[in-house]
Amino acid sequence: MPQRPTPEGSKSEGMTRRELLRGGLLIAAGSATAGLLLAERASADGDGHVRYYDSFPHRSAMEHRWAMVVDLRRCVGCRACTVACKSENNVPGGVFRTWVRFAEVGTYPDTRPRFLPAFCNHCDIPPCVPVCPVLATYKRDDGLVLIDYDQCIGCGYCIQACPYGARFFNPVQRTADKCTLCAHRLESGQMPACVSTCIGGALTIGDMNDPQSGVSKLLARYPTGTLKPELGTDPMFFYIGLDGRLLEEVGP
Amino acid sequence: MSELEWGLPVVAKYLYGGLSAGAFVTYYLWQGFGLPTFRPTAKLAWISAAVFGLVIPIPIFGHLGQPGRWGNLLTSFHWTSPMSWAAPILIAYLIVLLLNGRFFFYDDVVLAYRQAHGIRKKALRLLLITKPPVGPVPESSRLGLRVTGALAFVLVLFFGYSGLELGLIPSKPLWANAINPLMFLLTGVVSGMAFVLLLWLALEGRPRARPNPPETVLLRSILLPALIGLFLALNAVSYVFLAYSPPEVQPAVLLLATGELGVLFLGIGLGLGAIAPMALLTANAVLETPRKWILAVSAILALVGAFAQKYGFLVAGQYYEAPAGGTFPTVWPTAGQVVEFLAILALVYLLFVVALWISPWRKVTPVPEPAAAPKEVAA
């Protein structure tokens, strides 16, 4: 392309316009591509965590897969699990990692109280993971869905994406927060605080891929249901005694 | 009970993003597509795009729980999260936009620089980036103008990512809609164009004078009412979608239609903020002498409407999905959020005052350089 003639006396000693344009466009393109390269590095750091929607392995491909069976016939609604969880994990006031929903089921006077303990479902296809803009939330190779609290920016996208209302904004650490299934206790061979404290023995945790585990035996013996199966998240919390009337009463 | 996770700061982010995108599109209609109708507003449109573009990050930082970690957004880009697109898109957009302005305003900035004094002169020197030429002002690079303009326009099209943020959450049936990105982009363009027209009327409108031919063409433009009409048509399409959505969506729809947000969303957002300006602007287009006040009123209504639509849609979508089976105490923002919103609004005003003071948004008339003193003839 022929050089445009520069009027006499207008030649500058600094950057030329061509250099300016080239430099600016390089910076603009660089800001986009640098992000791509850095993200590639972040996702390939060999920590065994899965952060992308299209790469979640099915639970059968995992060596261990933690799962919980909640026997609603045994739940008395004492909320000991809620309290134990808050105590174990230092959960601030006003927010909950574990909670129990209550409903009067039936028609007066023929009614009875029903309870629905609720947690993070540690889904096989967790909708909270792919939306995290900073890759702070991830699925571990044993199926637990966790949050890297040092990476989280507290944007709240995962909170919106969770169909179970299991995530919340922690007002003290100012990040997203949720049930970790007491990963720290599982790693040291202990049960999660909610399971240990459940007075009715309604909660059973175990390795779903181990046919001898309590979870596998319960799943083989009883019909179970999961919450919002229509969303395709494949939750790892299975409920015995879950029925439509209870779900209708407790709401979304 | 806790306050809404995504409240007024997120609405502000969507609002300023839309205003910047809309203002740029208005500018590009003349600069890129050569539409002469929008020539009178081109400079003000570019300035508006730049000011609103610079403001977009502020409500984002206000909303984040850990704003100090914003750098994580730059190092974690991935396609599965539209929010992750925001940082590279916004940074690239701002850089390309500022470069484009440098080419667009070059002649005027050089002339204004020569006539300016003090802080304004220093500011104009910064805007020039390269060393100011002496003597005749060289023509600005057309290639640079075209390339940066086209790039910024492409980046603006990606501003629909904000609608995608909401659209791909299946657990929020009100938001989960494939046409959200287009609707967000459209409301952004409408609000940005309305703002530019309002600013143009305020600064150059000569309210009592009859419109001259270029003003008449602009006042008669049917582009803005057509865009509002398209937005309303897409709204109708989304209501058809909602009719076939799971029953969980009903409380949110009722909240927007007849509930606490009904007046804001349906009355102000769609009635006063979309149908009324569309009707007024269409009427103005067919009047023998189009009225400036009609355009002004329509632009104000469209701006207020854009805010009301965004607020209602965002709040209603999450209101019945509180964490831990709880409930949100109110659909309205907290006092702190309102103060923050007003503070950002004040900052926008201040930035506009500064931008209009520094930038040569009116045509700069070259001042003839004083003739050199005749050399003394040696005796």
Side-chain angles (χ1 to χ4, degrees):
Chain A
M1 193 176 150
Q3 186 93 26
R4 193 157 45 81
T6 311
E8 197 182 341
S10 69
K11 189 175 181 179
S12 66
E13 291 173 1
M15 203 189 311
T16 63
R17 280 196 301 272
R18 189 179 295 272
E19 285 165 350
L20 169 70
L21 175 65
R22 195 183 298 144
L25 293 178
L26 277 173
I27 293 169
S31 65
T33 49
L36 279 170
L37 293 171
L38 289 166
E40 188 61 30
R41 195 188 65 180
S43 65
D45 54 5
D47 57 7
H49 301 160
V50 182
R51 298 180 164 95
Y52 291 96
Y53 199 76
D54 57 356
S55 55
F56 292 127
H58 189 264
R59 59 177 174 269
S60 57
M62 300 174 187
E63 191 179 348
H64 302 288
R65 203 336 171 177
W66 291 112
M68 178 94 89
V69 173
V70 184
D71 192 341
L72 295 179
R73 300 168 306 175
R74 289 169 167 266
C75 178
V76 296
C78 66
R79 292 179 170 84
C81 51
T82 305
V83 176
C85 172
K86 281 186 90 89
S87 172
E88 173 68 25
N89 296 295
N90 201 18
V91 181
V95 287
F96 302 91
R97 287 185 177 189
T98 305
W99 67 104
V100 180
R101 304 178 82 169
F102 165 80
E104 282 281 339
V105 177
T107 311
Y108 182 82
D110 194 17
T111 64
R112 63 192 177 107
R114 296 285 306 275
F115 306 99
L116 182 69
F119 316 78
C120 165
N121 283 260
H122 293 273
C123 309
D124 235 17
I125 304 174
C128 52
V129 172
V131 298
C132 176
V134 294
L135 304 166
T137 188
Y138 57 93
K139 186 178 159 191
R140 229 163 60 163
D141 53 7
D142 58 0
L144 295 191
V145 178
L146 301 176
I147 301 170
D148 181 346
Y149 296 115
D150 294 326
Q151 176 79 2
C152 177
I153 56 172
C155 66
Y157 203 177
C158 58
I159 299 172
Q160 302 290 5
C162 176
Y164 305 105
R167 286 175 172 251
F168 59 90
F169 184 74
N170 186 315
V172 174
Q173 64 193 36
R174 304 199 60 75
T175 63
D177 201 356
K178 70 172 197 66
C179 157
T180 61
L181 215 56
C182 285
H184 59 291
R185 287 172 66 99
L186 289 174
E187 283 158 10
S188 61
Q190 294 176 286
M191 295 283 113
C194 54
V195 178
S196 296
T197 201
C198 181
I199 60 168
L203 305 176
T204 306
I205 188 168
D207 183 355
M208 219 178 151
N209 289 347
D210 173 8
Q212 298 307 313
S213 70
V215 161
S216 296
K217 286 177 180 170
L218 283 172
L219 288 174
R221 184 169 179 187
Y222 296 105
T224 55
T226 56
L227 299 178
K228 300 189 179 180
E230 72 278 9
L231 292 175
T233 56
D234 212 352
M236 287 299 105
F237 273 56
F238 301 90
Y239 291 84
I240 298 172
L242 189 67
D243 60 63
R245 284 183 305 173
L246 173 61
L247 290 174
E248 200 174 306
E249 289 298 326
V250 297
Chain B
M1 291 210 302
S2 58
E3 65 185 58
L4 291 161
E5 182 55 40
W6 284 0
L8 200 51
V10 178
V11 176
K13 172 196 142 185
Y14 292 156
L15 193 68
Y16 292 126
L19 283 165
S20 182
F24 183 80
V25 168
T26 312
Y27 154 78
Y28 201 66
L29 286 174
W30 158 243
Q31 193 269 309
F33 298 119
L35 212 64
T37 310
F38 289 89
R39 185 176 186 167
T41 61
K43 284 183 176 176
L44 290 173
W46 187 93
I47 291 168
S48 305
V51 168
F52 287 126
L54 291 170
V55 171
I56 298 170
I58 298 172
I60 297 178
F61 287 137
H63 161 67
L64 293 181
Q66 294 284 356
R69 296 180 188 163
W70 67 273
N72 293 355
L73 282 166
L74 298 175
T75 57
S76 311
F77 179 83
H78 56 293
W79 291 109
T80 60
S81 173
M83 198 180 278
S84 166
W85 310 356
I89 287 176
L90 284 180
I91 292 173
Y93 169 69
L94 282 176
I95 292 171
V96 173
L97 178 67
L98 294 175
L99 269 177
N100 180 263
R102 193 269 185 195
F103 293 115
F104 184 61
F105 283 93
Y106 184 72
D107 302 358
D108 288 324
V109 171
V110 170
L111 292 173
Y113 170 77
R114 288 175 182 170
Q115 296 166 25
H117 303 281
I119 297 173
R120 183 165 183 254
K121 194 174 183 79
K122 286 178 183 169
L124 287 166
R125 174 67 189 84
L126 275 177
L127 290 176
L128 273 173
I129 306 176
T130 53
K131 193 174 178 184
V134 283
V137 182
E139 196 185 335
S140 178
S141 165
R142 283 180 186 277
L143 178 69
L145 185 67
R146 282 181 186 161
V147 170
T148 54
L151 271 176
F153 184 72
V154 170
L155 287 165
V156 155
L157 296 180
F158 276 96
F159 271 45
Y161 80 87
S162 50
L164 201 58
E165 277 176 6
L166 306 180
L168 53 69
I169 302 180
S171 59
K172 302 278 189 290
L174 183 71
W175 294 349
N177 196 322
I179 58 173
N180 263 353
L182 190 56
M183 286 178 69
F184 268 65
L185 199 58
L186 212 49
T187 51
V189 171
V190 166
S191 61
M193 194 176 280
F195 180 85
V196 169
L197 292 172
L198 194 62
L199 187 67
W200 170 73
L201 280 174
L203 296 174
E204 297 193 280
R206 303 177 297 118
R208 289 182 187 159
R210 284 178 70 85
N212 58 31
E215 287 175 347
T216 306
V217 172
L218 187 57
L219 291 171
R220 283 209 172 120
S221 167
I222 56 157
L223 187 60
L224 186 54
L227 288 173
I228 298 174
L230 182 59
F231 167 73
L232 287 169
L234 288 178
N235 256 284
V237 171
S238 74
Y239 295 141
V240 175
F241 273 116
L242 287 173
Y244 288 90
S245 293
E248 288 84 22
V249 78
Q250 281 178 6
V253 173
L254 289 174
L255 181 66
L256 287 177
T258 55
E260 214 175 340
L261 290 171
V263 173
L264 182 80
F265 183 79
L266 209 57
I268 299 174
L270 293 183
L272 283 176
I275 296 170
M278 184 181 68
L280 284 170
L281 289 168
T282 310
N284 214 21
V286 295
L287 281 178
E288 192 180 342
T289 308
R291 309 285 197 274
K292 290 173 184 172
W293 68 264
I294 292 181
L295 178 61
V297 169
S298 306
I300 291 169
L301 288 175
L303 282 168
V304 174
F307 171 82
Q309 291 153 17
K310 286 180 166 71
Y311 188 87
F313 186 69
L314 192 74
V315 170
Q318 61 185 304
Y319 186 64
Y320 293 102
E321 303 278 344
T327 53
F328 292 115
T330 176
V331 294
W332 304 111
T334 62
Q337 287 178 341
V338 173
V339 169
E340 186 185 311
F341 185 80
L342 293 176
I344 297 173
L345 216 53
L347 178 70
V348 169
Y349 176 76
L350 186 71
L351 283 175
F352 263 104
V353 170
V354 172
L356 293 172
W357 174 61
I358 292 173
S359 63
W361 56 274
R362 281 199 171 103
K363 186 73 191 162
V364 182
T365 315
V367 176
E369 291 183 19
K375 286 181 183 174
E376 287 183 18
V377 180

